[in-house]
PDB file of all heavy atoms in Angstrom:
ATOM      1  N   VAL A  18    -255.363  -3.319 140.948  1.00  0.00           N
ATOM      2  CA  VAL A  18    -255.779  -3.480 142.251  1.00  0.00           C
ATOM      3  C   VAL A  18    -255.407  -4.973 142.694  1.00  0.00           C
ATOM      4  O   VAL A  18    -255.353  -5.798 141.942  1.00  0.00           O
ATOM      5  CB  VAL A  18    -257.365  -3.416 142.271  1.00  0.00           C
ATOM      6  CG1 VAL A  18    -258.047  -4.524 141.355  1.00  0.00           C
ATOM      7  CG2 VAL A  18    -257.904  -3.677 143.703  1.00  0.00           C
ATOM      8  N   ASN A  19    -254.892  -4.964 143.998  1.00  0.00           N
ATOM      9  CA  ASN A  19    -254.382  -6.265 144.640  1.00  0.00           C
ATOM     10  C   ASN A  19    -255.432  -6.905 145.356  1.00  0.00           C
ATOM     11  O   ASN A  19    -256.201  -6.223 146.145  1.00  0.00           O
ATOM     12  CB  ASN A  19    -253.135  -5.833 145.481  1.00  0.00           C
ATOM     13  CG  ASN A  19    -252.456  -7.043 146.123  1.00  0.00           C
ATOM     14  OD1 ASN A  19    -253.041  -7.848 146.821  1.00  0.00           O
ATOM     15  ND2 ASN A  19    -251.142  -7.119 145.639  1.00  0.00           N
ATOM     16  N   SER A  20    -255.531  -8.225 145.271  1.00  0.00           N
ATOM     17  CA  SER A  20    -256.517  -8.966 146.019  1.00  0.00           C
ATOM     18  C   SER A  20    -256.255  -9.135 147.629  1.00  0.00           C
ATOM     19  O   SER A  20    -257.125  -9.473 148.352  1.00  0.00           O
ATOM     20  CB  SER A  20    -256.756 -10.377 145.456  1.00  0.00           C
ATOM     21  OG  SER A  20    -255.500 -11.117 145.663  1.00  0.00           O
ATOM     22  N   ASP A  21    -255.050  -8.753 148.027  1.00  0.00           N
ATOM     23  CA  ASP A  21    -254.787  -8.917 149.508  1.00  0.00           C
ATOM     24  C   ASP A  21    -255.450  -7.778 150.293  1.00  0.00           C
ATOM     25  O   ASP A  21    -255.982  -8.078 151.328  1.00  0.00           O
ATOM     26  CB  ASP A  21    -253.327  -8.868 149.823  1.00  0.00           C
ATOM     27  CG  ASP A  21    -252.414 -10.203 149.162  1.00  0.00           C
ATOM     28  OD1 ASP A  21    -253.322 -11.207 149.158  1.00  0.00           O
ATOM     29  OD2 ASP A  21    -251.362 -10.106 148.856  1.00  0.00           O
ATOM     30  N   ASP A  22    -255.456  -6.519 149.777  1.00  0.00           N
ATOM     31  CA  ASP A  22    -255.824  -5.429 150.521  1.00  0.00           C
ATOM     32  C   ASP A  22    -256.690  -4.510 149.805  1.00  0.00           C
ATOM     33  O   ASP A  22    -257.178  -3.538 150.128  1.00  0.00           O
ATOM     34  CB  ASP A  22    -254.735  -4.647 151.138  1.00  0.00           C
ATOM     35  CG  ASP A  22    -253.636  -4.211 150.108  1.00  0.00           C
ATOM     36  OD1 ASP A  22    -253.917  -4.305 148.851  1.00  0.00           O
ATOM     37  OD2 ASP A  22    -252.784  -3.619 150.543  1.00  0.00           O
ATOM     38  N   PHE A  23    -256.939  -4.894 148.387  1.00  0.00           N
ATOM     39  CA  PHE A  23    -257.711  -4.134 147.495  1.00  0.00           C
ATOM     40  C   PHE A  23    -257.205  -2.756 147.316  1.00  0.00           C
ATOM     41  O   PHE A  23    -257.991  -1.821 146.941  1.00  0.00           O
ATOM     42  CB  PHE A  23    -259.203  -4.182 147.846  1.00  0.00           C
ATOM     43  CG  PHE A  23    -259.766  -5.571 147.868  1.00  0.00           C
ATOM     44  CD1 PHE A  23    -260.166  -6.064 148.977  1.00  0.00           C
ATOM     45  CD2 PHE A  23    -259.899  -6.344 146.671  1.00  0.00           C
ATOM     46  CE1 PHE A  23    -260.647  -7.452 149.170  1.00  0.00           C
ATOM     47  CE2 PHE A  23    -260.322  -7.487 146.847  1.00  0.00           C
ATOM     48  CZ  PHE A  23    -260.645  -8.112 148.039  1.00  0.00           C
ATOM     49  N   LYS A  24    -255.875  -2.494 147.530  1.00  0.00           N
ATOM     50  CA  LYS A  24    -255.263  -1.311 147.293  1.00  0.00           C
ATOM     51  C   LYS A  24    -255.129  -1.070 145.809  1.00  0.00           C
ATOM     52  O   LYS A  24    -254.751  -1.881 145.042  1.00  0.00           O
ATOM     53  CB  LYS A  24    -253.908  -1.294 147.924  1.00  0.00           C
ATOM     54  CG  LYS A  24    -253.206   0.028 147.711  1.00  0.00           C
ATOM     55  CD  LYS A  24    -251.767   0.140 148.315  1.00  0.00           C
ATOM     56  CE  LYS A  24    -251.144   1.407 148.088  1.00  0.00           C
ATOM     57  NZ  LYS A  24    -249.774   1.433 148.485  1.00  0.00           N
ATOM     58  N   VAL A  25    -255.386   0.172 145.403  1.00  0.00           N
ATOM     59  CA  VAL A  25    -255.434   0.478 143.890  1.00  0.00           C
ATOM     60  C   VAL A  25    -254.225   1.496 143.587  1.00  0.00           C
ATOM     61  O   VAL A  25    -253.871   2.393 144.437  1.00  0.00           O
ATOM     62  CB  VAL A  25    -256.579   1.192 143.563  1.00  0.00           C
ATOM     63  CG1 VAL A  25    -256.593   1.646 142.032  1.00  0.00           C
ATOM     64  CG2 VAL A  25    -257.839   0.320 143.615  1.00  0.00           C
ATOM     65  N   VAL A  26    -253.378   1.008 142.641  1.00  0.00           N
ATOM     66  CA  VAL A  26    -252.283   1.954 142.247  1.00  0.00           C
ATOM     67  C   VAL A  26    -252.587   2.279 140.767  1.00  0.00           C
ATOM     68  O   VAL A  26    -252.818   1.363 139.972  1.00  0.00           O
ATOM     69  CB  VAL A  26    -250.890   1.095 142.379  1.00  0.00           C
ATOM     70  CG1 VAL A  26    -249.784   2.055 141.794  1.00  0.00           C
ATOM     71  CG2 VAL A  26    -250.677   0.797 143.739  1.00  0.00           C
ATOM     72  N   VAL A  27    -252.372   3.521 140.461  1.00  0.00           N
ATOM     73  CA  VAL A  27    -252.531   4.044 139.191  1.00  0.00           C
ATOM     74  C   VAL A  27    -251.186   4.613 138.700  1.00  0.00           C
ATOM     75  O   VAL A  27    -250.504   5.453 139.337  1.00  0.00           O
ATOM     76  CB  VAL A  27    -253.582   5.224 139.006  1.00  0.00           C
ATOM     77  CG1 VAL A  27    -253.785   5.668 137.627  1.00  0.00           C
ATOM     78  CG2 VAL A  27    -254.841   4.773 139.618  1.00  0.00           C
ATOM     79  N   ASN A  28    -250.709   3.878 137.544  1.00  0.00           N
ATOM     80  CA  ASN A  28    -249.371   4.467 136.930  1.00  0.00           C
ATOM     81  C   ASN A  28    -249.772   5.187 135.748  1.00  0.00           C
ATOM     82  O   ASN A  28    -250.363   4.720 134.816  1.00  0.00           O
ATOM     83  CB  ASN A  28    -248.580   3.095 136.715  1.00  0.00           C
ATOM     84  CG  ASN A  28    -247.172   3.546 136.152  1.00  0.00           C
ATOM     85  OD1 ASN A  28    -247.060   4.030 135.097  1.00  0.00           O
ATOM     86  ND2 ASN A  28    -246.269   3.351 136.994  1.00  0.00           N
ATOM     87  N   ILE A  29    -249.171   6.433 135.795  1.00  0.00           N
ATOM     88  CA  ILE A  29    -249.323   7.304 134.663  1.00  0.00           C
ATOM     89  C   ILE A  29    -248.007   7.785 134.117  1.00  0.00           C
ATOM     90  O   ILE A  29    -247.279   8.293 134.836  1.00  0.00           O
ATOM     91  CB  ILE A  29    -250.233   8.576 134.911  1.00  0.00           C
ATOM     92  CG1 ILE A  29    -251.705   8.171 135.629  1.00  0.00           C
ATOM     93  CG2 ILE A  29    -250.413   9.539 133.933  1.00  0.00           C
ATOM     94  CD1 ILE A  29    -252.364   9.327 136.287  1.00  0.00           C
ATOM     95  N   ASN A  30    -247.782   7.248 132.972  1.00  0.00           N
ATOM     96  CA  ASN A  30    -246.563   7.647 132.286  1.00  0.00           C
ATOM     97  C   ASN A  30    -245.387   7.236 133.220  1.00  0.00           C
ATOM     98  O   ASN A  30    -244.368   8.054 133.261  1.00  0.00           O
ATOM     99  CB  ASN A  30    -246.387   9.094 131.823  1.00  0.00           C
ATOM    100  CG  ASN A  30    -247.430   9.458 130.689  1.00  0.00           C
ATOM    101  OD1 ASN A  30    -247.828   8.608 129.915  1.00  0.00           O
ATOM    102  ND2 ASN A  30    -247.839  10.619 130.694  1.00  0.00           N
ATOM    103  N   GLY A  31    -245.419   6.152 133.763  1.00  0.00           N
ATOM    104  CA  GLY A  31    -244.309   5.598 134.598  1.00  0.00           C
ATOM    105  C   GLY A  31    -244.186   6.110 136.133  1.00  0.00           C
ATOM    106  O   GLY A  31    -243.247   5.702 136.812  1.00  0.00           O
ATOM    107  N   GLU A  32    -245.146   6.919 136.500  1.00  0.00           N
ATOM    108  CA  GLU A  32    -245.259   7.269 137.916  1.00  0.00           C
ATOM    109  C   GLU A  32    -246.437   6.817 138.659  1.00  0.00           C
ATOM    110  O   GLU A  32    -247.488   6.798 138.011  1.00  0.00           O
ATOM    111  CB  GLU A  32    -245.261   8.865 137.983  1.00  0.00           C
ATOM    112  CG  GLU A  32    -243.882   9.451 137.619  1.00  0.00           C
ATOM    113  CD  GLU A  32    -243.867  10.897 137.954  1.00  0.00           C
ATOM    114  OE1 GLU A  32    -244.158  11.258 139.188  1.00  0.00           O
ATOM    115  OE2 GLU A  32    -243.485  11.795 137.141  1.00  0.00           O
ATOM    116  N   ASP A  33    -246.349   6.261 139.805  1.00  0.00           N
ATOM    117  CA  ASP A  33    -247.356   5.668 140.560  1.00  0.00           C
ATOM    118  C   ASP A  33    -248.170   6.874 141.370  1.00  0.00           C
ATOM    119  O   ASP A  33    -247.381   7.664 141.958  1.00  0.00           O
ATOM    120  CB  ASP A  33    -246.926   4.672 141.584  1.00  0.00           C
ATOM    121  CG  ASP A  33    -246.498   3.327 140.746  1.00  0.00           C
ATOM    122  OD1 ASP A  33    -246.924   3.148 139.629  1.00  0.00           O
ATOM    123  OD2 ASP A  33    -245.836   2.511 141.483  1.00  0.00           O
ATOM    124  N   TYR A  34    -249.412   6.607 141.431  1.00  0.00           N
ATOM    125  CA  TYR A  34    -250.318   7.612 142.151  1.00  0.00           C
ATOM    126  C   TYR A  34    -251.438   6.886 142.782  1.00  0.00           C
ATOM    127  O   TYR A  34    -251.765   5.679 142.397  1.00  0.00           O
ATOM    128  CB  TYR A  34    -250.986   8.578 141.136  1.00  0.00           C
ATOM    129  CG  TYR A  34    -250.007   9.492 140.414  1.00  0.00           C
ATOM    130  CD1 TYR A  34    -249.469   9.046 139.180  1.00  0.00           C
ATOM    131  CD2 TYR A  34    -249.646  10.798 140.940  1.00  0.00           C
ATOM    132  CE1 TYR A  34    -248.664   9.951 138.442  1.00  0.00           C
ATOM    133  CE2 TYR A  34    -248.851  11.536 140.102  1.00  0.00           C
ATOM    134  CZ  TYR A  34    -248.407  11.191 138.977  1.00  0.00           C
ATOM    135  OH  TYR A  34    -247.498  11.936 138.280  1.00  0.00           O
ATOM    136  N   GLY A  35    -251.921   7.386 143.935  1.00  0.00           N
ATOM    137  CA  GLY A  35    -253.071   6.895 144.564  1.00  0.00           C
ATOM    138  C   GLY A  35    -254.313   7.329 143.650  1.00  0.00           C
ATOM    139  O   GLY A  35    -254.065   8.170 142.887  1.00  0.00           O
ATOM    140  N   SER A  36    -255.406   6.692 144.036  1.00  0.00           N
ATOM    141  CA  SER A  36    -256.618   6.939 143.092  1.00  0.00           C
ATOM    142  C   SER A  36    -256.962   8.366 143.041  1.00  0.00           C
ATOM    143  O   SER A  36    -257.241   8.909 141.996  1.00  0.00           O
ATOM    144  CB  SER A  36    -257.788   6.165 143.669  1.00  0.00           C
ATOM    145  OG  SER A  36    -257.513   4.738 143.370  1.00  0.00           O
ATOM    146  N   LYS A  37    -257.042   9.033 144.217  1.00  0.00           N
ATOM    147  CA  LYS A  37    -257.486  10.490 144.206  1.00  0.00           C
ATOM    148  C   LYS A  37    -256.603  11.410 143.455  1.00  0.00           C
ATOM    149  O   LYS A  37    -257.143  12.232 142.659  1.00  0.00           O
ATOM    150  CB  LYS A  37    -257.771  10.946 145.561  1.00  0.00           C
ATOM    151  CG  LYS A  37    -258.841  10.217 146.380  1.00  0.00           C
ATOM    152  CD  LYS A  37    -259.211  10.779 147.661  1.00  0.00           C
ATOM    153  CE  LYS A  37    -260.224   9.929 148.414  1.00  0.00           C
ATOM    154  NZ  LYS A  37    -261.542  10.024 148.072  1.00  0.00           N
ATOM    155  N   THR A  38    -255.374  11.209 143.701  1.00  0.00           N
ATOM    156  CA  THR A  38    -254.355  12.205 142.889  1.00  0.00           C
ATOM    157  C   THR A  38    -254.338  11.841 141.412  1.00  0.00           C
ATOM    158  O   THR A  38    -254.249  12.785 140.612  1.00  0.00           O
ATOM    159  CB  THR A  38    -252.925  11.924 143.488  1.00  0.00           C
ATOM    160  OG1 THR A  38    -252.932  12.140 144.872  1.00  0.00           O
ATOM    161  CG2 THR A  38    -251.995  12.919 142.792  1.00  0.00           C
ATOM    162  N   ALA A  39    -254.500  10.519 141.169  1.00  0.00           N
ATOM    163  CA  ALA A  39    -254.441  10.226 139.566  1.00  0.00           C
ATOM    164  C   ALA A  39    -255.651  10.786 138.898  1.00  0.00           C
ATOM    165  O   ALA A  39    -255.360  11.033 137.608  1.00  0.00           O
ATOM    166  CB  ALA A  39    -254.557   8.589 139.623  1.00  0.00           C
ATOM    167  N   GLU A  40    -256.732  10.977 139.440  1.00  0.00           N
ATOM    168  CA  GLU A  40    -257.981  11.630 138.720  1.00  0.00           C
ATOM    169  C   GLU A  40    -257.619  12.786 137.875  1.00  0.00           C
ATOM    170  O   GLU A  40    -258.042  13.015 136.709  1.00  0.00           O
ATOM    171  CB  GLU A  40    -259.187  11.609 139.456  1.00  0.00           C
ATOM    172  CG  GLU A  40    -259.564  10.443 140.255  1.00  0.00           C
ATOM    173  CD  GLU A  40    -259.554   9.204 139.336  1.00  0.00           C
ATOM    174  OE1 GLU A  40    -259.976   9.038 138.351  1.00  0.00           O
ATOM    175  OE2 GLU A  40    -259.086   8.083 139.943  1.00  0.00           O
ATOM    176  N   SER A  41    -257.016  13.702 138.468  1.00  0.00           N
ATOM    177  CA  SER A  41    -256.734  15.053 137.821  1.00  0.00           C
ATOM    178  C   SER A  41    -255.666  14.830 136.735  1.00  0.00           C
ATOM    179  O   SER A  41    -255.672  15.420 135.688  1.00  0.00           O
ATOM    180  CB  SER A  41    -256.267  16.108 138.834  1.00  0.00           C
ATOM    181  OG  SER A  41    -255.110  15.796 139.391  1.00  0.00           O
ATOM    182  N   LYS A  42    -254.709  13.927 137.042  1.00  0.00           N
ATOM    183  CA  LYS A  42    -253.632  13.621 136.024  1.00  0.00           C
ATOM    184  C   LYS A  42    -254.284  13.054 134.872  1.00  0.00           C
ATOM    185  O   LYS A  42    -253.953  13.252 133.638  1.00  0.00           O
ATOM    186  CB  LYS A  42    -252.542  12.777 136.657  1.00  0.00           C
ATOM    187  CG  LYS A  42    -251.877  13.291 137.836  1.00  0.00           C
ATOM    188  CD  LYS A  42    -250.925  14.412 137.404  1.00  0.00           C
ATOM    189  CE  LYS A  42    -250.031  14.808 138.589  1.00  0.00           C
ATOM    190  NZ  LYS A  42    -249.141  15.872 138.189  1.00  0.00           N
ATOM    191  N   ILE A  43    -255.126  12.044 135.067  1.00  0.00           N
ATOM    192  CA  ILE A  43    -255.939  11.375 133.954  1.00  0.00           C
ATOM    193  C   ILE A  43    -256.569  12.384 133.144  1.00  0.00           C
ATOM    194  O   ILE A  43    -256.737  12.410 131.844  1.00  0.00           O
ATOM    195  CB  ILE A  43    -256.853  10.213 134.396  1.00  0.00           C
ATOM    196  CG1 ILE A  43    -255.886   9.124 134.877  1.00  0.00           C
ATOM    197  CG2 ILE A  43    -257.721   9.762 133.347  1.00  0.00           C
ATOM    198  CD1 ILE A  43    -256.634   8.010 135.676  1.00  0.00           C
ATOM    199  N   ASP A  44    -257.324  13.291 133.846  1.00  0.00           N
ATOM    200  CA  ASP A  44    -258.141  14.353 133.102  1.00  0.00           C
ATOM    201  C   ASP A  44    -257.301  15.202 132.218  1.00  0.00           C
ATOM    202  O   ASP A  44    -257.601  15.533 131.074  1.00  0.00           O
ATOM    203  CB  ASP A  44    -258.869  15.274 134.121  1.00  0.00           C
ATOM    204  CG  ASP A  44    -260.095  14.696 134.864  1.00  0.00           C
ATOM    205  OD1 ASP A  44    -260.385  13.518 134.409  1.00  0.00           O
ATOM    206  OD2 ASP A  44    -260.551  15.146 135.845  1.00  0.00           O
ATOM    207  N   GLU A  45    -256.046  15.494 132.707  1.00  0.00           N
ATOM    208  CA  GLU A  45    -255.123  16.259 131.900  1.00  0.00           C
ATOM    209  C   GLU A  45    -254.744  15.368 130.591  1.00  0.00           C
ATOM    210  O   GLU A  45    -254.810  15.971 129.587  1.00  0.00           O
ATOM    211  CB  GLU A  45    -253.857  16.457 132.731  1.00  0.00           C
ATOM    212  CG  GLU A  45    -254.034  17.622 133.791  1.00  0.00           C
ATOM    213  CD  GLU A  45    -252.834  17.738 134.542  1.00  0.00           C
ATOM    214  OE1 GLU A  45    -251.555  17.272 134.062  1.00  0.00           O
ATOM    215  OE2 GLU A  45    -252.878  18.209 135.757  1.00  0.00           O
TER     216      GLU A  45
END
C-alpha cells in the first residue's frame, strides 16, 4: 500500500492484481 493515495497492489506469482480480483487468486 502506497502512502500517497493508499492504493493497494497485490502481486501473486509475479502478476499485479487489484484487491478484489486478488482475493479469489489467493484463495486458490
Side-chain angles (χ1 to χ4, degrees):
V18 60
N19 185 294
S20 66
D21 292 334
D22 55 6
F23 301 111
K24 181 180 177 190
V25 174
V26 175
V27 183
N28 184 290
I29 302 170
N30 293 331
E32 290 190 50
D33 288 345
Y34 297 91
S36 292
K37 294 191 187 282
T38 307
E40 303 315 316
S41 63
K42 300 281 184 190
I43 292 170
D44 288 350
E45 287 174 23

